[in-house]
Amino acid sequence: MKTTKFLSVAAIAVAATVALAGCSTGGSSNGGGSGTAAASCKPSGGKVTLDFTTWVPNMDKVVAIWNKANPEIQVKVSIVANGNSGTYQNFFNQLKAKQAPDIGQVEYDTLPAFRVQGGLEDIGACAGFSDAKKDFSDGLWNQVTFGEGKSVYAVPQDSGPMALYYRKDLFEKAGLDAPKTWGEYAEDAVKIKKLGGNITNFAKGDVNQFAGLVSQAGGQWFENSGQDWKVNLDDAASKKVADYWQDLIDKKLVNTLPSFTDQWNNAYDSGKDWTWVSAVWGANTISSGAPSTSGKWAVAPMPQWKSGETKSAAWGGSSNVVFAGSKHPAEASKFLVWLNTSTEALSALNKEANLYPASTTGADLPALTEGLDFYGGQKIYEEFATAAKDIQPFTWGPTMTQTYSDVSDGFGQAASGSGTLSEALESGQSKTIAALKAQSIPVKG
């Protein structure tokens, strides 16, 4: 249940070594350190206030539990837009200006970008991590350690196995079953269009969702032989997925609204859009964005490219980091261990944000075995638990934020009828290679 997109640990270790070769190795816990050496984790002494920037909804309610019980370590929460909607760039800007918050939320696929730029404090020496390690799967723990021995650069928070959210009532009324293959999905798109709806919204700005679809199809955007990186954004599987969605776009069978906007929410709330291929965290997104549809949704496995297969993928999944330069790594680490391993915090995160915990402790939460009224009483987390077992491996590169931005630009053009998704991947391929070379990271091609 804790599986997510897999990071090539050895590859990231190589990238980190190359990118940080010219940096100071004296990580500091009191301003401007490179984040390459373990923080001393000596308690600050006296009352401490930690700044925490996240996009998890209702995180303030969870933090309030901590603040009430820990008057000497108070946490101030800022809830912002998701990482690729500008928050990551803000983090990079703040790190450069030495004004980053103590704690931030960073998805697993973007951790390498912060690591190679020395933006993460090594909190491996802080109290509690020897016990916390056993609370996470090896795969997730490797993603936050990069295989660097006792170094720890983040605490896993949630994982993002994907499935199909669909309007069960509308499908039943139309005489349709949940599509089991992508072929059936495309056929249903035609039928739904004739009924005045769209089968889904193509997420032109959510390239990380598209990466999940590519992963399910067997694509691999990055490879590393131990030194040189190879970039494969336009491999055969990626082009297959791109051509599939391009066909739906060209035939105007999908919506192309910006994701997570009022327009996007309204399309689902009004029954204009019927499905969403998304991660487990999307359960809260739909319930909060489309409240009038309560009881009408259900969850099914992702459609398959071959009938009878059960391949899945992941979209997102996040960790909490202590940014380089924090004056209070010991206190921040103490809070993060509580937030991501204690039954008290995990229960609150699940209740307030439908968060699917990375921690093994979270797997036993009663809420994950109960039916949800919004989904017609279905025990949807069982569906995601099954999906998590068949997530296809996927290697992340060290410049994912830039890669997402470059590909997103092309996707936006394709959605508006200028260019194609395949052309966007080809452009992203060349720009990613250029970005790696610009950072002196060895790359083939």
Side-chain angles (χ1 to χ4, degrees):
M1 294 174 66
K2 271 67 63 185
T3 312
T4 189
K5 298 177 185 176
F6 291 104
L7 182 68
S8 174
V9 176
I12 293 302
V14 170
T17 299
V18 172
L20 294 172
C23 296
S24 165
T25 58
S28 170
S29 62
N30 55 11
S34 69
T36 61
S40 66
C41 274
K42 181 180 179 181
S44 300
K47 186 174 181 178
V48 166
T49 298
L50 303 171
D51 290 321
F52 178 18
T53 300
T54 178
W55 54 85
V56 173
N58 298 321
M59 179 62 82
D60 53 327
K61 296 180 180 179
V62 182
V63 169
I65 299 172
W66 167 272
N67 285 340
K68 184 177 180 180
N70 296 272
E72 296 301 308
I73 305 176
Q74 294 290 285
V75 179
K76 180 181 178 181
V77 180
S78 295
I79 300 177
V80 297
N82 66 59
N84 288 306
S85 294
T87 296
Y88 287 146
Q89 189 57 56
N90 287 341
F91 283 158
F92 285 122
N93 292 341
Q94 290 166 341
L95 283 165
K96 185 176 181 179
K98 299 182 180 180
Q99 295 178 346
D102 296 282
I103 302 167
Q105 184 176 354
V106 178
E107 292 165 289
Y108 301 119
D109 54 4
T110 311
L111 278 174
F114 284 95
R115 176 69 183 101
V116 298
Q117 295 194 37
L120 307 178
E121 202 70 69
D122 180 354
I123 50 179
C126 297
F129 281 103
S130 59
D131 292 331
K133 177 180 178 180
K134 64 177 179 291
D135 213 40
F136 301 96
S137 68
D138 290 341
L140 279 179
W141 196 249
N142 281 338
Q143 293 207 47
V144 300
T145 62
F146 306 132
E148 297 181 18
K150 295 182 179 180
S151 293
V152 179
Y153 296 96
V155 183
Q157 182 162 88
D158 67 317
S159 59
M162 296 174 73
L164 175 71
Y165 295 92
Y166 71 104
R167 279 289 298 272
K168 186 176 181 180
D169 63 321
L170 296 179
F171 270 77
E172 290 179 345
K173 185 177 181 180
L176 301 174
D177 295 323
K180 293 183 174 60
T181 67
W182 287 112
E184 292 176 3
Y185 192 82
E187 292 172 0
D188 287 348
V190 175
K191 298 172 183 176
I192 291 170
K193 192 68 177 183
K194 291 179 179 178
L195 295 172
N198 300 299
I199 194 166
T200 194
N201 185 83
F202 177 75
K204 56 188 178 183
D206 295 324
V207 181
N208 40 358
Q209 181 205 30
F210 188 86
L213 300 176
V214 169
S215 169
Q216 188 209 23
Q220 192 64 255
W221 278 1
F222 293 88
E223 297 177 28
N224 187 278
S225 61
Q227 181 176 358
D228 293 335
W229 286 88
K230 183 178 180 181
V231 186
N232 306 300
L233 267 68
D234 58 353
D235 66 7
S238 299
K239 287 195 170 184
K240 178 173 74 171
V241 176
D243 290 345
Y244 175 89
W245 286 97
Q246 186 66 55
D247 184 59
L248 296 181
I249 292 172
D250 290 344
K251 294 176 179 177
K252 301 187 184 303
L253 299 176
V254 294
N255 224 335
T256 56
L257 298 170
S259 299
F260 312 113
T261 61
D262 289 341
Q263 285 180 297
W264 185 86
N265 286 330
N266 184 63
Y268 282 106
D269 198 35
S270 65
K272 184 69 174 177
D273 291 348
W274 288 27
T275 77
W276 187 29
V277 182
S278 187
V280 62
W281 47 259
N284 188 65
T285 304
I286 295 177
S287 62
S288 61
S292 70
T293 61
S294 180
K296 300 177 181 179
W297 288 86
V299 176
M302 288 180 71
Q304 300 295 309
W305 287 103
K306 293 183 180 179
S307 180
E309 291 186 339
T310 59
K311 294 180 180 179
S312 185
W315 178 7
S318 299
S319 66
N320 296 134
V321 306
V322 178
F323 282 119
S326 170
K327 296 180 181 180
H328 312 294
E331 289 77 13
S333 299
K334 183 177 181 179
F335 165 70
L336 291 182
V337 170
W338 171 84
L339 182 66
N340 295 303
T341 65
S342 74
T343 300
E344 180 182 40
L346 294 175
S347 296
L349 284 168
N350 181 259
K351 177 184 177 182
E352 301 295 347
N354 276 348
L355 205 68
Y356 190 74
S359 167
T360 55
T361 299
D364 297 324
L365 295 178
L368 295 183
T369 63
E370 298 173 352
L372 299 182
D373 291 340
F374 190 88
Y375 295 91
Q378 181 184 3
K379 298 179 180 180
I380 67 169
Y381 293 113
E382 293 182 354
E383 194 69 58
F384 287 104
T386 300
K389 297 176 183 177
D390 271 325
I391 291 175
Q392 302 304 293
F394 202 67
T395 301
W396 298 114
T399 58
M400 290 309 303
T401 300
Q402 184 64 48
T403 296
Y404 285 151
S405 177
D406 290 336
V407 175
S408 178
D409 289 343
F411 277 12
Q413 294 174 9
S416 63
S418 176
T420 67
L421 300 179
S422 285
E423 289 172 348
L425 291 176
E426 292 169 2
S427 176
Q429 167 86 3
S430 60
K431 289 181 179 179
T432 296
I433 290 174
L436 289 169
K437 289 181 177 179
Q439 294 188 39
S440 300
I441 298 175
V443 59
K444 291 181 179 179

